[in-house]
Every structure is written in C-alpha cells, then in structure tokens.
Amino acid sequence: QVQLVESGGGSVQAGGSVRLSCAFFGYTWNYYCMGWARQVPGREREGVAIIDSSSRTKYTDSVKGRFTISQDNAKNSLYLEMNNLEPGDTAVYYCAARRTFCAYGQSVSSTTFDYWGQGTQVTVSS
C-alpha cells in the first residue's frame, strides 16, 4: 500500500525558511512523478513543484527561485526547501505521487497525482 507522510511544517515570519520532508512507503517504481501541492481554504489544491525519476524538476511561477524540490531515493524521501517565504505561501502542503512521468509540457499547478499525504500546515506571518 502506497503511503506518503509529510513533516516539517510550522509557523515562520516572512522572509524565513522552512524545509518539508515526505517519507514514502509501499512502492518501488522505475518511472514516477512526485511533487508538492498546496491548498488554502476555499481554493483548489494546486501543484507548486514536481520531480520525476530522472530528477528533472519544474516549479509554478510564484515559487521559482524561492523553493527547491529534491529527492533521496536511498532514504525514500522527498523534500521541499522553501526560502524567502511570503504570507501568500500560507497553506496546507501535500506530498503527492503518481506512477508515470511528469508532464512538463503542462502547468505545474494543474498536475494530477494518484497518491497523497495527509498534509502539513505552513503559516507565514508578516
């Protein structure tokens, strides 16, 4: 059974940094797309960063240059390093995965996934 477990959320002031971690269990895929998405109340969940089995990455425009997605397959872990945080980054952040390559020709915000973690709250105060 595929499981994704996020950790590392919390509260930070604007300009600060937070590192999210996602531990994944129950699968070993040769080809996959993994990513981070976020959701605020009243809005749809949207992808912010993706990475695939070739380690190619892509980011939504609002986080480019501030967020970095990375993976450590030896540790079955996915990470999101978030720097220079803004109040607009406040959201519940989710780790996600699917068993196909990422579609780099489409927007990151509309990327779909088959498996999701439970989410971790990140709050950025001004």
Side-chain angles (χ1 to χ4, degrees):
Q1 182 177 355
V2 176
Q3 286 187 301
L4 303 166
V5 181
E6 302 97 337
S7 61
S11 297
V12 64
Q13 290 193 329
S17 299
V18 170
R19 187 188 195 216
L20 303 181
S21 299
C22 172
F24 49 89
F25 311 93
Y27 65 93
T28 303
W29 300 334
N30 290 328
Y31 306 103
Y32 59 83
C33 179
M34 296 195 71
W36 291 92
R38 64 187 181 187
Q39 188 171 24
V40 298
R43 298 184 63 179
E44 290 189 359
R45 193 176 301 182
E46 62 173 11
V48 297
I50 56 176
I51 187 169
D52 66 15
S53 46
S54 68
S55 294
R56 183 178 175 185
T57 61
K58 189 175 180 179
Y59 302 87
T60 195
D61 287 346
S62 62
V63 307
K64 282 181 182 176
R66 301 188 299 121
F67 290 13
T68 302
I69 187 171
S70 62
Q71 60 188 346
D72 185 339
N73 290 333
K75 296 182 179 180
N76 283 359
S77 293
L78 182 74
Y79 306 100
L80 185 67
E81 183 75 33
M82 303 186 292
N83 298 315
N84 195 19
L85 283 161
E86 303 168 353
D89 295 317
T90 295
V92 177
Y93 284 75
Y94 297 88
C95 173
R98 73 182 194 200
R99 199 176 176 177
T100 57
F101 279 121
C102 295
Y104 290 99
Q106 68 181 47
S107 66
V108 174
S109 60
S110 61
T111 300
T112 58
F113 296 96
D114 298 319
Y115 303 97
W116 294 89
Q118 82 287 354
T120 185
Q121 176 72 44
V122 174
T123 302
V124 184
S125 58
S126 58

